[in-house]
Amino acid sequence: MIAEVDCPAQDQEQALPLMVAPPPGYSLLQRLRSGYHAFWYWLGEGLEWSRGQYQERPVGQLIQLSGSQQARIASLRRQFDVRFEQHCAAQTTLKSYDYLDILDQAWTAWGKPRPVGGVVHDVGASNFWYARALHAFFLPSALTGVEVEGHRIYYNGYSRHDYAQGYVRDLPQTSFVVADYAQFEQPADTIVAWYPFVTPAPVLAWRMPLTFFAPRALFARIARNLNPSGVFVMVNQGPEEADTAAEHCRQAGLQFESSCELRATLRRRRVPPVVSWWRRS
């Protein structure tokens, strides 16, 4: 059984990559770690273990918040008419307000109306705990979270897929798909990527094999899936990672529109998030 604690619909079966060894250029330690993660990945995806839909117990009310957190969350509730605490546990609730706050701060800084409606894809959705935040911000006609390791098992015996089904069950036209987004061929009006892998270290830190470190293929697919008038929204860990990701975007044929670095967020971070938005060239 695969065990993990996460830190930070209808299934479509993916065409799993044939390559099981990372390409040349990695150290021996990186190769060993990648091989170990690959074993557990293949085991989990092969078993597709499930205990059934997991439903969090709603916290009802957040406590032990600072004055600034309380004020900001109250503002988000009014602006977006949301009450995440009525649907999610305390940690998921606070993180959902945090993600909604990041998106709202970015668009406010840019002085642009947020893109609403249409088909929205989320790339690398984990167990899609933040689906409600995306739904509140983008008001999509359809929302799909895509995660390559959707059958990873948590310590309580439930899988990411089990959790995702609980998170999306009351959201209209919302689904969770187990697939590699680099191979996911569907058009979208808005594509969102939270902290995509653009360097190898985070791949291993999240216990993924290095065979899935393919930023060129990923961003090329994002560019192909994005409708001509669509928007790609990306969030990165700090300016350095954002610069690396931006180069991949440009190589894929995406056109930079704007970005902002957020120093004040609802949850403390060692590295500030950098939010950018892109269009097709």
Side-chain angles (χ1 to χ4, degrees), residues 155-171:
Y155 286 120
N156 60 5
Y158 287 93
S159 70
R160 275 182 173 170
H161 184 270
D162 295 339
Y163 270 74
Q165 295 310 301
Y167 290 133
V168 307
R169 71 170 189 164
D170 296 327
L171 293 174

Side-chain angles (χ1 to χ4, degrees), residues 121-133:
H121 291 173
D122 183 80
V123 181
S126 185
N127 60 26
F128 217 18
W129 57 263
Y130 50 91
R132 289 186 180 277

Side-chain angles (χ1 to χ4, degrees), residues 7-71:
C7 304
Q10 176 182 350
D11 283 348
Q12 174 177 311
E13 293 301 325
Q14 69 179 94
L16 295 175
L18 297 177
M19 182 175 61
V20 295
Y26 296 109
S27 69
L28 176 60
L29 180 58
Q30 287 176 318
R31 287 171 173 271
L32 290 173
R33 291 180 63 190
S34 178
Y36 176 79
H37 299 328
F39 169 79
W40 290 108
Y41 170 81
W42 290 108
L43 181 61
E45 298 307 301
L47 289 175
E48 295 188 10
W49 173 270
S50 174
R51 286 187 61 188
Q53 183 183 109
Y54 180 83
Q55 185 64 40
E56 284 189 351
R57 179 179 297 178
V59 65
Q61 181 179 357
L62 288 175
I63 59 175
Q64 296 181 337
L65 299 176
S66 68
S68 61
Q69 285 177 316
Q70 291 178 10

